[in-house]
Amino acid sequence: MKMGGVIAALVSGAVLAVSRDTGHLGFLVLIGPVPLFLHVLGERRALNTFVLAYLVGLMAEAGPLYFYGGIIPMVYGIVALQALFFALSVLLMWTLYPRSPTLAVFAYAVATGAIELLYSYVSPNGSFGALGYALVDILPLLQIASLAGVSGLSFLAAIIPAGIATLIRRPTDYLAASAWILPVLAALLFGFWQLAQPDGEAVRVALLSNDEFAGVATDEPDRNEVIVADFRQNIEQVASQRPAYIVTPEKMFLPTPEFAQLSVKLNTKIVAGIDRPLGNGQRSNTAELTRPDLSALTYDKHYLIPGLEGEYVPGKDLVSVDRVGIAICKDMDFPQFLRTYRGRHIGLLLVPAWDFIADAKLHGKMAIVRGVENGFAVARTASQGLLTLSDSRGRIIAETSSAKSQGNLVDSVPLGTGDTFYASNGDAFGWSLVIVCGGLLFAVPTVRLGSHKDV
C-alpha cells in the first residue's frame, strides 16, 4: 500500500469527520471523499481499496463516537457497521470503474442509498447515520426529500463526490460527467421551484426549556413542584405573545394538573413532557396536550433508546388536533413511522425532545428532514439541545440553544400542506435503488478485476 493512498484516506477521513453525522459543515461531504476516490480508482488491489475505504469510514463516524461513546455502548458496533457499508460501496465503484466509469459513479450512489434504506428497516435507531442528513443546510438539494426521502438525499450526497473524482481523472469522459451532473441539476431546479412556493397559514408557537431541571423530576420526585412552578412562570410570561401552542421538553415533569389549569386560564394549548410511573417498575414517556375546556390528549413515545429507556413502555397511537400532531424525540429518526401521519394531513408537528448537548445540531437537523419529507413544519423543544422552529421546506424560522441555560423562543411558523410525493409513496425511490443495486451485484462477477492494471 502506497503512502499516497494513506494520506488520501486520512485527508478524506478528516474532512468527513467534521461534516458527516455532526450537524456541522455538512456541505463538506460533497468533496470529502474525493481524495480517497482519486487514489482508489487507480488502485490495483481490491484489498488495499477496501482497507483505505474502511479507514475513512471509521474516521467519518468520529461525531457519533464523541457524542455517544460514553453513554450508549452499542455505538461502537454501529460505527464499525457504518464504516463497513461505506467500504463496500467504494469497493463496488472500484470494481466497475475499469469497465464503465459512468456505471461506477452511479453504482456508488445507488449502493449508498440502498444499504442505508435496508439498514433503516432493521436498525433500532432507524435512519440515524444516513449520509443524506448532511445536506440539510443546502436548501435547494434538501427539497428532494419531499420526493425521495432521505434515500434521495443520500444518493445526491454520494453521486456528487464520486462524479467530481471521475471528472478529475477523466475530464473528457462526457458520458460519465452527465451521469451525475444531470441528476444534480434536476434536483436543484426542483429545489428552487419548491422554495418559491407560497407559504401556508402561520401559527404562533412558544418553545420553553430549562436545562437546570433536565431529568430531575425522575431522579428527585420531591422537586417536581419546583420544576412545575418554574415553567408555570415562563408559560405565563410567553402567554402575553398569544401562542397557539406552548411546548416543553420530554420527561420534564411528573404527572400534574397544573398545565390543564393553565390552558384554561391562558386560553392556549400546552404540550408538556411527562414522565409517568405506571407501576411494576414501568413508566411511560408521554407528551400531554392540554386544551382550554377540553380533555387532555396523551401521546406516548413509540421508539425508545436501547439501554437507556428499558423501563419505558412504547406507545401505539398517534395524536393530532386541528392539523397539528405530536411526536417525541427519537420517533423523528424513523421516516416510515412519521409517514403514518399523512392521513391526518397535519401541517405542524410538535416535538418534545432531550438531546446530549454535543449532538444537538445533528439530531435537530434530522427532525427538520422529516418535515420536508412529509410537508409539515416542525416545532422541536429539546433539553440539552436546541429549540427550533422550521417550516415544511426545512427553512429555520427561529432557533436558540437550551444547553446549560433556560431557553425561551416564541415565533410564527407557516403550516405545511401535509402532503408530499414521499408521504404518499414512501420509500419508492429507495426500494428502486435496492433493486438496481441487486442487479449491479449480480453483474459484478462478469467484471475482470485484473483490468485495473491498465487504469
Side-chain angles (χ1 to χ4, degrees):
M1 186 180 299
K2 296 180 180 179
M3 182 58 66
V6 176
I7 293 174
L10 292 176
V11 171
S12 285
V15 175
L16 290 175
V18 299
S19 56
R20 177 171 181 167
D21 293 338
T22 67
H24 298 78
L25 305 175
F27 65 92
L28 289 178
V29 301
L30 300 179
I31 59 172
V34 171
L36 172 72
F37 294 161
L38 287 175
H39 175 79
V40 299
L41 292 180
E43 177 61 60
R44 296 184 178 184
R45 299 184 60 193
L47 180 61
N48 288 350
T49 296
F50 179 83
V51 170
L52 291 172
Y54 193 77
L55 171 62
V56 172
L58 287 176
M59 292 180 66
E61 297 301 312
L65 282 176
Y66 172 64
F67 300 157
Y68 311 114
I71 304 170
I72 307 175
M74 71 182 300
V75 73
Y76 294 100
I78 293 172
V79 164
L81 197 58
Q82 293 278 58
L84 177 62
F85 294 158
F86 175 75
L88 291 175
S89 298
V90 173
L91 191 60
L92 178 62
M93 177 173 65
W94 174 86
T95 301
L96 296 174
Y97 181 75
R99 181 64 58 88
S100 171
T102 302
L103 188 58
V105 171
F106 187 69
Y108 171 70
V110 166
T112 298
I115 292 173
E116 288 184 354
L117 178 72
L118 292 174
Y119 182 60
S120 73
Y121 274 83
V122 299
S123 170
N125 301 296
S127 63
F128 188 94
L131 176 64
Y133 288 122
L135 301 186
V136 70
D137 290 326
I138 307 177
L139 287 175
L141 291 181
L142 176 60
Q143 305 313 306
I144 207 69
S146 67
L147 297 177
V150 72
S151 295
L153 294 176
S154 293
F155 179 86
L156 290 174
I159 203 170
I160 291 174
I164 291 173
T166 303
L167 183 62
I168 292 173
R169 289 186 62 88
R170 304 172 70 101
T172 59
D173 191 335
Y174 302 115
L175 181 60
S178 64
W180 67 276
I181 292 176
L182 292 179
V184 172
L185 286 177
L188 286 171
L189 287 173
F190 171 77
F192 284 116
W193 174 83
Q194 183 84 335
L195 290 169
Q197 299 307 300
D199 292 330
E201 173 191 358
V203 173
R204 199 156 185 80
V205 181
L207 307 180
L208 307 182
S209 183
N210 190 339
D211 283 0
E212 178 185 349
F213 299 122
V216 172
T218 305
D219 298 333
E220 304 176 51
D222 292 342
R223 297 189 62 189
N224 188 57
E225 290 186 7
V226 174
I227 301 169
V228 171
D230 179 87
F231 273 81
R232 179 179 62 235
Q233 181 179 359
N234 284 326
I235 289 171
E236 290 175 339
Q237 288 178 352
V238 300
S240 62
Q241 300 182 54
R242 298 185 180 280
Y245 294 90
I246 299 174
V247 189
T248 75
E250 69 172 309
K251 291 194 285 192
M252 183 58 68
F253 318 99
L254 297 180
T256 174
E258 189 75 33
F259 299 114
Q261 296 167 7
L262 279 173
S263 288
V264 174
K265 175 183 176 182
L266 303 174
N267 192 34
T268 189
K269 301 180 184 72
I270 301 172
V271 177
I274 305 293
D275 191 338
R276 190 185 308 276
L278 300 177
N280 299 320
Q282 294 185 320
R283 315 179 73 88
S284 70
N285 184 341
T286 300
E288 182 181 70
L289 172 61
T290 57
R291 304 172 291 169
D293 301 321
L294 293 170
S295 60
L297 299 174
T298 57
Y299 170 97
D300 294 333
K301 187 177 183 180
H302 286 233
Y303 292 93
L304 305 168
I305 302 175
L308 294 184
E309 293 183 310
E311 73 273 29
Y312 289 85
V313 177
K316 297 180 179 179
D317 300 319
L318 303 178
V319 169
S320 64
V321 59
D322 299 329
R323 294 191 61 222
V324 176
I326 298 176
I328 299 177
C329 199
K330 193 173 179 64
D331 293 341
M332 300 297 284
D333 298 355
F334 294 81
Q336 297 80 21
F337 167 66
L338 265 297
R339 282 186 56 243
T340 58
Y341 265 120
R342 176 184 174 268
R344 304 188 179 209
H345 301 286
I346 68 168
L348 171 65
L349 193 70
L350 308 177
V351 187
W354 186 358
D355 294 329
F356 296 97
I357 301 177
D359 72 336
K361 282 190 175 295
L362 171 63
H363 216 199
K365 289 181 176 182
M366 290 174 65
I368 290 173
V369 174
R370 296 289 86 79
V372 178
E373 286 176 341
N374 296 283
F376 52 65
V378 177
R380 185 176 185 271
T381 305
S383 291
Q384 299 179 333
L386 297 173
L387 287 68
T388 305
L389 282 175
S390 59
D391 71 8
S392 61
R393 289 160 191 123
R395 292 174 291 209
I396 295 177
I397 305 300
E399 186 172 72
T400 190
S401 174
S402 78
K404 300 181 181 179
S405 66
Q406 175 178 298
N408 293 347
L409 185 157
V410 184
D411 213 325
S412 295
V413 61
L415 292 174
T417 63
D419 188 19
T420 64
F421 183 87
Y422 177 80
S424 299
N425 297 277
D427 292 311
F429 178 79
W431 285 115
S432 71
L433 296 182
V434 172
I435 294 171
V436 173
C437 187
L440 290 172
L441 291 175
F442 183 78
V444 161
T446 67
V447 178
R448 292 182 303 124
L449 299 184
S451 61
H452 283 83
K453 296 177 181 179
D454 300 322
V455 174

